[in-house]
Amino acid sequence: MASRIGRQSKMALVERCGEMWARNTKNIKKVPAHREGGQGVYVLYDGSTPVYVGKGNIQARLRKANDKSKRRGNSWDYFSWYILKNRHLVHDVEVLLLRILPPYLRYMTRQAGNFKGKPFSTDQKPIHSTPIYIERTR
């Protein structure tokens, strides 16, 4: 059992995180600073709806969005933050979140992002683009 736990921790993506923290100065100060390894990905929420996905020095970005941001200033009341074990994955994790969330849910993030390098992609064939019909019951 111990070896299985060891393998899980080696394969873990997230090192530290905080989810759905209330927006206030005390909570923002509790997020690890840059010198404490506070580089990662964060999400701003309006209630439970994600409205912005960002990356970088999380505490500094949150402070800036809390104090000075004209565009984001009054549009969020909760935040989540994620520090990744592998710092080289921060960009691609941000892009993945941006591509998963529909644009109307992340309306303050103006980009979709691009993965680093050229990931292998299998494009859908046009003849296979019709989904299976779902019967809905009332």
Side-chain angles (χ1 to χ4, degrees), residues 23-48:
R23 174 187 177 180
N24 60 55
T25 306
K26 288 183 181 183
N27 280 342
I28 292 172
K29 285 181 180 179
K30 289 181 182 179
V31 174
H34 176 70
R35 65 186 168 281
E36 300 162 336
Q39 294 286 330
V41 179
Y42 64 98
V43 182
L44 305 181
Y45 299 89
D46 180 1
S48 63

Side-chain angles (χ1 to χ4, degrees), residues 68-122:
K68 302 172 188 163
S69 176
K70 291 178 184 176
R71 192 164 57 94
R72 291 183 291 260
N74 290 322
S75 299
W76 62 284
D77 50 4
Y78 289 91
F79 65 95
S80 295
W81 56 274
Y82 305 91
I83 297 174
L84 307 181
K85 281 190 156 200
N86 184 339
R87 307 291 188 252
H88 300 290
L89 296 177
V90 169
H91 176 80
D92 280 354
V93 168
E94 179 202 30
V95 170
L96 183 62
L97 290 171
L98 288 171
R99 289 178 176 237
I100 289 171
L101 292 172
Y104 63 86
L105 287 182
R106 54 168 177 78
Y107 63 90
M108 290 193 308
T109 307
R110 297 180 177 167
Q111 57 167 359
N114 294 307
F115 291 109
K116 286 184 178 178
K118 293 185 178 181
F120 178 76
S121 175
T122 304

